[in-house]
Each structure stands twice: as C-alpha cells, then as structure tokens.
C-alpha cells in the first residue's frame, strides 16, 4: 500500500514538473526570445490600452519572478532532496521566496490592467494577495514556529497558486478554440478565477488526505 501511494505521489509530481518546465520554457522564449511586444497577450492588450514603460517593467519583473518560482518550486517537494541535502532545500527556498514576492507584487500592479474589466481585475488581485499571504504563513511556520508540517502544507498551497501560470496557459488556448476570439473578454473573466481557485481547493484536499493517512498510521501504532 505504501509503495503504491509513493508511486502515485511521484507520478503526480512528475506531471507537475513537466508542465512547469514546459510553461517556464515557453515564457522564456516568448518574452526573452521574441520580446514582449511580439507576445499575443501584449498584442491583444495594445488594441484597447496604451501601455507605458512602467507596465513593461512590471511585466518583466512578474515574468522573471514567476518563472523562477514555477521552475524551482516543484523541486522542494522531492522528499529525498529535503532529507539528504537540507542546505540545498533552503537555498532553493530563498530563491523561490524572492520569485514569489516579485511575482505577487508585480501581479498586483498588472491586475489593474487585466482584460475583462473589474471581474478579471478582482480575480488576479485575489491571486496575488493569496500568493503573498500563503508565502508569509509558510515562512512564519518554519522561521518562527519551527513547524515543518505546517510549513509543508502552506508551501503546498503556495505552489498551487504558483501553478496558476500553467492553468492559465491551458485554459486560454482551449477557450479560444472552443469559443473563438470574439468572446475573449467573457471567458477571460472566468479564467482569471479558474486558473487559481480550483488549484487551492485541490491542494487543500491533498493536505486533508495526507492528514488522514498520517492519523491512521499513528492509530495503527
């Protein structure tokens, strides 16, 4: 039973890692290879909004921070690495923390320029605030309270929010194929929430399941 659970967990982590790496590479090519002005996301925005230099600065801060968090975050869930090389775990954690902090702060700024109006803006503001909040509680649980279990749970929630970058880039092209570009604003309002709220629920379900398994093991002793 334990072996099957381990294989299932490793398989899930592998899937997350592959998606994170693919989206991270895509962002790198799109924004650092082709340039922001050639990105479809920016082209769409330029149709209706005048973007100043500050917006582009914040966009690149957001891309760099989010890419770092997305590409490094999943590594922190490799149990063997945490046990055998805690120094590496802490180093990656520091880089991840800076990435999330940059991504959340710049994301809060960019949210007010989101396509789809107030509904989209509120969705991305909620994501940025939840991303920062779970990071702060994750850091507090390990730095102040020295509670590794709580730290792991908060960082799982946090990476679920980081993974919004992946879900956004899955939902958008699928929606464009199904509904067409003429309804972009309508489904973008939904995606502004769908890219992160279900992730958080899934993380909480996973945490609840792990707690029940841990409780069952203790009772068996």
């Amino acid at each position: 039973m334990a072996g099957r659970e381990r294989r299932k967990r490793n398989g899930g982590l592998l899937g997350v890692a592959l998606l994170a790496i693919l989206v991270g590479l895509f962002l790198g090519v799109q924004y650092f290879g082709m340039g922001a002005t050639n990105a479809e996301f920016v082209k769409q925005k330029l149709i209706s909004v005048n973007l100043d230099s500050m917006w582009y600065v914040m966009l690149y801060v957001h891309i760099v921070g989010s890419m770092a968090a997305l590409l490094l975050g999943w590594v922190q869930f490799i149990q063997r690495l945490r046990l055998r090389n805690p120094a590496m775990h802490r180093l990656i954690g520091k880089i991840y923390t800076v990435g999330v902090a940059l991504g959340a702060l710049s994301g809060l700024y960019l949210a007010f320029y989101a396509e789809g109006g107030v509904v989209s803006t509120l969705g991305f503001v909620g994501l940025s605030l939840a991303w920062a909040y779970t990071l702060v509680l994750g850091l507090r649980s390990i730095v102040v309270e020295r509670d590794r279990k709580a730290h792991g749970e908060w960082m799982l929630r946090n990476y679920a929010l980081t993974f919004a970058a992946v879900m956004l880039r899955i939902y958008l092209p699928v929606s464009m194929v199904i509904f067409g570009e003429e309804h972009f604003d309508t489904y973008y309002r939904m995606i502004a929430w769908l890219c992160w709220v279900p992730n958080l629920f899934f993380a909480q379900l996973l945490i609840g399941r792990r707690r029940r398994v841990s409780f069952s093991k203790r009772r068996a002793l």
Side-chain angles (χ1 to χ4, degrees):
M1 179 69 90
R4 188 169 64 185
E5 284 294 321
R6 195 179 300 112
R7 285 193 297 273
K8 188 187 293 185
R9 187 167 60 245
N10 290 342
L13 184 58
L14 179 61
V16 166
L18 287 173
L19 286 170
I21 291 167
L22 285 172
V23 170
L25 291 173
F26 170 76
L27 290 172
V29 170
Q30 186 178 44
Y31 289 100
F32 296 99
M34 297 167 59
T37 52
N38 292 313
E40 199 58 44
F41 160 73
V42 178
K43 286 180 181 178
Q44 183 80 23
K45 195 172 287 295
L46 285 169
I47 295 171
S48 55
V49 182
N50 244 343
L51 301 173
D52 57 17
S53 57
M54 182 59 155
W55 186 88
Y56 283 101
V57 169
M58 295 304 278
L59 173 66
Y60 273 99
V61 169
H62 186 68
I63 294 298
V64 170
S66 300
M67 277 179 64
L70 186 64
L71 291 169
L72 291 174
W74 62 269
V75 178
Q76 297 293 73
F77 298 102
I78 301 174
Q79 188 177 36
R80 189 175 296 179
L81 175 69
R82 294 200 307 270
L83 296 175
R84 293 186 179 181
N85 200 336
M88 180 62 72
H89 177 74
R90 285 192 293 270
L91 175 61
I92 294 173
K94 288 174 183 176
I95 299 170
Y96 178 84
T97 296
V98 172
V100 172
L102 291 174
L105 289 172
S106 55
L108 198 57
Y109 174 88
L110 294 171
F112 291 94
Y113 292 84
E115 299 288 325
V118 177
V119 175
S120 298
T121 293
L122 289 174
F124 289 120
V125 165
L127 170 58
S128 296
L129 292 176
W131 205 15
Y133 179 72
T134 52
L135 177 68
V136 169
L137 290 184
L139 292 174
R140 180 185 174 185
S141 61
I142 194 66
V143 175
V144 178
E145 299 167 356
R146 302 293 179 183
D147 188 338
R148 291 185 180 182
K149 183 182 176 185
H151 173 67
E153 291 179 352
W154 280 114
M155 296 316 292
L156 178 59
R157 295 182 186 104
N158 186 264
Y159 192 69
L161 295 170
T162 301
F163 210 69
V166 172
M167 301 312 297
L168 179 69
R169 282 156 187 88
I170 291 174
Y171 291 140
L172 261 182
V174 170
S175 297
M176 290 177 80
V177 169
I178 296 172
F179 303 110
E181 290 189 27
E182 61 271 19
H183 301 294
F184 182 85
D185 280 3
T186 302
Y187 54 73
Y188 196 71
R189 292 184 190 106
M190 296 176 65
I191 291 170
W193 294 88
L194 283 173
C195 69
W196 65 276
V197 174
N199 297 15
L200 209 50
F201 275 112
F202 181 78
Q204 195 58 42
L205 286 172
L206 193 57
I207 289 166
R209 186 170 180 275
R210 288 180 179 177
R211 286 177 179 174
R212 287 192 297 273
V213 169
S214 178
F215 179 73
S216 296
K217 285 180 179 178
R218 286 199 303 271
R219 284 188 66 183
L221 295 173

